[in-house]
mmCIF file of all heavy atoms in Angstrom:
data_model
loop_
_atom_site.group_PDB
_atom_site.id
_atom_site.type_symbol
_atom_site.label_atom_id
_atom_site.label_comp_id
_atom_site.label_asym_id
_atom_site.label_seq_id
_atom_site.Cartn_x
_atom_site.Cartn_y
_atom_site.Cartn_z
ATOM 1 N N HIS A 60 -11.138 -208.494 62.514
ATOM 2 C CA HIS A 60 -11.749 -207.266 61.994
ATOM 3 C C HIS A 60 -13.175 -207.499 61.480
ATOM 4 O O HIS A 60 -13.846 -206.555 61.083
ATOM 5 C CB HIS A 60 -10.902 -206.706 60.844
ATOM 6 C CG HIS A 60 -9.504 -206.349 61.235
ATOM 7 N ND1 HIS A 60 -9.185 -205.187 61.911
ATOM 8 C CD2 HIS A 60 -8.335 -207.022 61.066
ATOM 9 C CE1 HIS A 60 -7.881 -205.148 62.130
ATOM 10 N NE2 HIS A 60 -7.339 -206.247 61.623
ATOM 11 N N CYS A 61 -13.617 -208.751 61.495
ATOM 12 C CA CYS A 61 -14.896 -209.105 60.874
ATOM 13 C C CYS A 61 -15.910 -209.538 61.922
ATOM 14 O O CYS A 61 -16.082 -210.745 62.185
ATOM 15 C CB CYS A 61 -14.695 -210.218 59.855
ATOM 16 S SG CYS A 61 -13.480 -209.847 58.586
ATOM 17 N N ALA A 62 -16.596 -208.572 62.514
ATOM 18 C CA ALA A 62 -17.556 -208.875 63.577
ATOM 19 C C ALA A 62 -18.726 -209.708 63.078
ATOM 20 O O ALA A 62 -19.320 -210.486 63.841
ATOM 21 C CB ALA A 62 -18.073 -207.576 64.200
ATOM 22 N N ASN A 63 -19.083 -209.573 61.804
ATOM 23 C CA ASN A 63 -20.258 -210.255 61.264
ATOM 24 C C ASN A 63 -19.914 -211.523 60.477
ATOM 25 O O ASN A 63 -20.772 -212.077 59.785
ATOM 26 C CB ASN A 63 -21.039 -209.305 60.349
ATOM 27 C CG ASN A 63 -21.556 -208.098 61.092
ATOM 28 O OD1 ASN A 63 -21.996 -208.216 62.238
ATOM 29 N ND2 ASN A 63 -21.502 -206.934 60.463
ATOM 30 N N LEU A 64 -18.684 -211.989 60.586
ATOM 31 C CA LEU A 64 -18.245 -213.123 59.789
ATOM 32 C C LEU A 64 -19.040 -214.385 60.116
ATOM 33 O O LEU A 64 -19.224 -214.748 61.268
ATOM 34 C CB LEU A 64 -16.755 -213.385 60.039
ATOM 35 C CG LEU A 64 -16.107 -214.481 59.185
ATOM 36 C CD1 LEU A 64 -16.088 -214.082 57.717
ATOM 37 C CD2 LEU A 64 -14.692 -214.762 59.674
ATOM 38 N N ARG A 65 -19.496 -215.066 59.056
ATOM 39 C CA ARG A 65 -20.254 -216.308 59.219
ATOM 40 C C ARG A 65 -19.625 -217.484 58.466
ATOM 41 O O ARG A 65 -19.877 -218.636 58.806
ATOM 42 C CB ARG A 65 -21.687 -216.101 58.745
ATOM 43 C CG ARG A 65 -22.480 -215.084 59.551
ATOM 44 C CD ARG A 65 -22.734 -215.584 60.967
ATOM 45 N NE ARG A 65 -23.430 -214.597 61.779
ATOM 46 C CZ ARG A 65 -22.830 -213.686 62.540
ATOM 47 N NH1 ARG A 65 -21.494 -213.661 62.621
ATOM 48 N NH2 ARG A 65 -23.528 -212.824 63.247
ATOM 49 N N TRP A 66 -18.858 -217.188 57.434
ATOM 50 C CA TRP A 66 -18.308 -218.284 56.622
ATOM 51 C C TRP A 66 -17.011 -217.840 55.949
ATOM 52 O O TRP A 66 -16.924 -216.716 55.431
ATOM 53 C CB TRP A 66 -19.330 -218.718 55.557
ATOM 54 C CG TRP A 66 -18.784 -219.597 54.479
ATOM 55 C CD1 TRP A 66 -17.900 -220.623 54.599
ATOM 56 C CD2 TRP A 66 -19.093 -219.523 53.078
ATOM 57 N NE1 TRP A 66 -17.633 -221.191 53.372
ATOM 58 C CE2 TRP A 66 -18.363 -220.540 52.424
ATOM 59 C CE3 TRP A 66 -19.934 -218.701 52.320
ATOM 60 C CZ2 TRP A 66 -18.420 -220.737 51.046
ATOM 61 C CZ3 TRP A 66 -20.001 -218.899 50.946
ATOM 62 C CH2 TRP A 66 -19.250 -219.913 50.323
ATOM 63 N N VAL A 67 -16.006 -218.726 55.968
ATOM 64 C CA VAL A 67 -14.753 -218.525 55.242
ATOM 65 C C VAL A 67 -14.562 -219.679 54.273
ATOM 66 O O VAL A 67 -14.607 -220.855 54.677
ATOM 67 C CB VAL A 67 -13.535 -218.456 56.192
ATOM 68 C CG1 VAL A 67 -12.228 -218.501 55.392
ATOM 69 C CG2 VAL A 67 -13.581 -217.210 57.047
ATOM 70 N N GLN A 68 -14.365 -219.363 52.998
ATOM 71 C CA GLN A 68 -13.994 -220.358 51.990
ATOM 72 C C GLN A 68 -12.516 -220.183 51.682
ATOM 73 O O GLN A 68 -12.094 -219.153 51.143
ATOM 74 C CB GLN A 68 -14.809 -220.182 50.709
ATOM 75 C CG GLN A 68 -14.359 -221.059 49.549
ATOM 76 C CD GLN A 68 -14.602 -222.539 49.781
ATOM 77 O OE1 GLN A 68 -15.734 -222.966 49.932
ATOM 78 N NE2 GLN A 68 -13.528 -223.327 49.816
ATOM 79 N N SER A 69 -11.723 -221.177 52.044
ATOM 80 C CA SER A 69 -10.293 -221.133 51.745
ATOM 81 C C SER A 69 -10.067 -221.366 50.256
ATOM 82 O O SER A 69 -10.787 -222.129 49.615
ATOM 83 C CB SER A 69 -9.575 -222.210 52.556
ATOM 84 O OG SER A 69 -8.242 -222.367 52.119
ATOM 85 N N THR A 70 -9.042 -220.730 49.721
ATOM 86 C CA THR A 70 -8.648 -220.987 48.337
ATOM 87 C C THR A 70 -7.628 -222.115 48.257
ATOM 88 O O THR A 70 -7.218 -222.494 47.161
ATOM 89 C CB THR A 70 -8.053 -219.733 47.682
ATOM 90 O OG1 THR A 70 -6.959 -219.250 48.487
ATOM 91 C CG2 THR A 70 -9.093 -218.631 47.563
ATOM 92 N N TRP A 71 -7.210 -222.630 49.402
ATOM 93 C CA TRP A 71 -6.231 -223.720 49.450
ATOM 94 C C TRP A 71 -6.861 -224.946 50.096
ATOM 95 O O TRP A 71 -7.866 -224.850 50.809
ATOM 96 C CB TRP A 71 -5.012 -223.330 50.283
ATOM 97 C CG TRP A 71 -4.214 -222.181 49.761
ATOM 98 C CD1 TRP A 71 -4.391 -221.499 48.584
ATOM 99 C CD2 TRP A 71 -3.104 -221.570 50.408
ATOM 100 N NE1 TRP A 71 -3.458 -220.509 48.464
ATOM 101 C CE2 TRP A 71 -2.654 -220.521 49.568
ATOM 102 C CE3 TRP A 71 -2.449 -221.793 51.609
ATOM 103 C CZ2 TRP A 71 -1.574 -219.709 49.904
ATOM 104 C CZ3 TRP A 71 -1.365 -220.985 51.949
ATOM 105 C CH2 TRP A 71 -0.940 -219.966 51.096
ATOM 106 N N ALA A 72 -6.229 -226.097 49.878
ATOM 107 C CA ALA A 72 -6.642 -227.312 50.572
ATOM 108 C C ALA A 72 -6.203 -227.272 52.032
ATOM 109 O O ALA A 72 -6.942 -227.654 52.935
ATOM 110 C CB ALA A 72 -6.063 -228.537 49.878
ATOM 111 N N GLY A 73 -4.967 -226.807 52.293
ATOM 112 C CA GLY A 73 -4.453 -226.696 53.657
ATOM 113 C C GLY A 73 -5.000 -225.456 54.345
ATOM 114 O O GLY A 73 -5.006 -224.367 53.764
ATOM 115 N N VAL A 74 -5.473 -225.601 55.591
ATOM 116 C CA VAL A 74 -6.122 -224.483 56.289
ATOM 117 C C VAL A 74 -5.529 -224.252 57.680
ATOM 118 O O VAL A 74 -6.174 -223.651 58.542
ATOM 119 C CB VAL A 74 -7.642 -224.724 56.409
ATOM 120 C CG1 VAL A 74 -8.310 -224.665 55.050
ATOM 121 C CG2 VAL A 74 -7.935 -226.061 57.093
ATOM 122 N N ARG A 75 -4.301 -224.687 57.907
ATOM 123 C CA ARG A 75 -3.742 -224.637 59.264
ATOM 124 C C ARG A 75 -3.793 -223.242 59.908
ATOM 125 O O ARG A 75 -4.148 -223.129 61.088
ATOM 126 C CB ARG A 75 -2.311 -225.166 59.252
ATOM 127 C CG ARG A 75 -1.703 -225.238 60.644
ATOM 128 C CD ARG A 75 -0.459 -226.074 60.690
ATOM 129 N NE ARG A 75 0.031 -226.232 62.043
ATOM 130 C CZ ARG A 75 1.003 -227.060 62.391
ATOM 131 N NH1 ARG A 75 1.591 -227.813 61.487
ATOM 132 N NH2 ARG A 75 1.393 -227.138 63.641
ATOM 133 N N PRO A 76 -3.453 -222.143 59.209
ATOM 134 C CA PRO A 76 -3.521 -220.833 59.871
ATOM 135 C C PRO A 76 -4.912 -220.490 60.400
ATOM 136 O O PRO A 76 -5.046 -219.816 61.429
ATOM 137 C CB PRO A 76 -3.109 -219.860 58.756
ATOM 138 C CG PRO A 76 -2.287 -220.682 57.825
ATOM 139 C CD PRO A 76 -2.919 -222.034 57.837
ATOM 140 N N LEU A 77 -5.948 -220.968 59.739
ATOM 141 C CA LEU A 77 -7.315 -220.693 60.188
ATOM 142 C C LEU A 77 -7.734 -221.613 61.323
ATOM 143 O O LEU A 77 -8.528 -221.237 62.181
ATOM 144 C CB LEU A 77 -8.284 -220.825 59.012
ATOM 145 C CG LEU A 77 -8.182 -219.689 57.995
ATOM 146 C CD1 LEU A 77 -8.870 -220.057 56.695
ATOM 147 C CD2 LEU A 77 -8.777 -218.415 58.572
ATOM 148 N N VAL A 78 -7.205 -222.813 61.337
ATOM 149 C CA VAL A 78 -7.509 -223.744 62.424
ATOM 150 C C VAL A 78 -6.808 -223.311 63.703
ATOM 151 O O VAL A 78 -7.341 -223.491 64.814
ATOM 152 C CB VAL A 78 -7.075 -225.173 62.026
ATOM 153 C CG1 VAL A 78 -7.136 -226.118 63.214
ATOM 154 C CG2 VAL A 78 -7.957 -225.696 60.900
ATOM 155 N N GLU A 79 -5.633 -222.717 63.575
ATOM 156 C CA GLU A 79 -4.850 -222.341 64.755
ATOM 157 C C GLU A 79 -5.306 -221.036 65.394
ATOM 158 O O GLU A 79 -4.995 -220.785 66.556
ATOM 159 C CB GLU A 79 -3.372 -222.247 64.369
ATOM 160 C CG GLU A 79 -2.743 -223.602 64.063
ATOM 161 C CD GLU A 79 -1.270 -223.504 63.733
ATOM 162 O OE1 GLU A 79 -0.821 -222.405 63.335
ATOM 163 O OE2 GLU A 79 -0.568 -224.526 63.850
ATOM 164 N N GLN A 80 -6.029 -220.188 64.666
ATOM 165 C CA GLN A 80 -6.515 -218.955 65.288
ATOM 166 C C GLN A 80 -7.697 -219.297 66.202
ATOM 167 O O GLN A 80 -8.417 -220.266 65.968
ATOM 168 C CB GLN A 80 -6.857 -217.902 64.228
ATOM 169 C CG GLN A 80 -7.922 -218.279 63.230
ATOM 170 C CD GLN A 80 -9.322 -218.116 63.771
ATOM 171 O OE1 GLN A 80 -9.603 -217.178 64.505
ATOM 172 N NE2 GLN A 80 -10.192 -219.045 63.422
ATOM 173 N N PRO A 81 -7.924 -218.541 67.280
ATOM 174 C CA PRO A 81 -8.859 -218.985 68.329
ATOM 175 C C PRO A 81 -10.347 -218.865 68.006
ATOM 176 O O PRO A 81 -11.159 -219.541 68.621
ATOM 177 C CB PRO A 81 -8.500 -218.082 69.519
ATOM 178 C CG PRO A 81 -7.894 -216.865 68.898
ATOM 179 C CD PRO A 81 -7.168 -217.338 67.682
ATOM 180 N N ARG A 82 -10.723 -218.038 67.066
ATOM 181 C CA ARG A 82 -12.151 -217.821 66.814
ATOM 182 C C ARG A 82 -12.780 -219.054 66.152
ATOM 183 O O ARG A 82 -12.187 -219.677 65.272
ATOM 184 C CB ARG A 82 -12.346 -216.583 65.934
ATOM 185 C CG ARG A 82 -13.798 -216.174 65.761
ATOM 186 C CD ARG A 82 -13.886 -214.815 65.119
ATOM 187 N NE ARG A 82 -15.245 -214.504 64.714
ATOM 188 C CZ ARG A 82 -15.593 -213.369 64.093
ATOM 189 N NH1 ARG A 82 -14.667 -212.461 63.818
ATOM 190 N NH2 ARG A 82 -16.844 -213.166 63.750
ATOM 191 N N ARG A 83 -14.014 -219.382 66.577
ATOM 192 C CA ARG A 83 -14.665 -220.589 66.080
ATOM 193 C C ARG A 83 -16.118 -220.360 65.648
ATOM 194 O O ARG A 83 -16.775 -221.307 65.224
ATOM 195 C CB ARG A 83 -14.672 -221.665 67.177
ATOM 196 C CG ARG A 83 -13.300 -222.189 67.551
ATOM 197 C CD ARG A 83 -12.724 -223.057 66.440
ATOM 198 N NE ARG A 83 -11.451 -223.655 66.804
ATOM 199 C CZ ARG A 83 -10.287 -223.089 66.624
ATOM 200 N NH1 ARG A 83 -10.224 -221.867 66.078
ATOM 201 N NH2 ARG A 83 -9.168 -223.689 66.968
ATOM 202 N N ASN A 84 -16.627 -219.153 65.740
ATOM 203 C CA ASN A 84 -18.047 -218.922 65.482
ATOM 204 C C ASN A 84 -18.334 -218.617 64.006
ATOM 205 O O ASN A 84 -19.080 -217.703 63.662
ATOM 206 C CB ASN A 84 -18.584 -217.791 66.367
ATOM 207 C CG ASN A 84 -17.909 -216.463 66.098
ATOM 208 O OD1 ASN A 84 -16.819 -216.421 65.516
ATOM 209 N ND2 ASN A 84 -18.535 -215.375 66.512
#
Side-chain angles (χ1 to χ4, degrees):
H60 299 282
C61 304
N63 298 321
L64 185 66
R65 296 293 177 269
W66 167 41
V67 170
Q68 172 67 62
S69 169
T70 55
W71 297 355
V74 292
R75 184 165 185 171
L77 288 165
V78 169
E79 290 182 338
Q80 60 80 38
R82 187 169 169 181
R83 294 289 184 272
N84 62 341

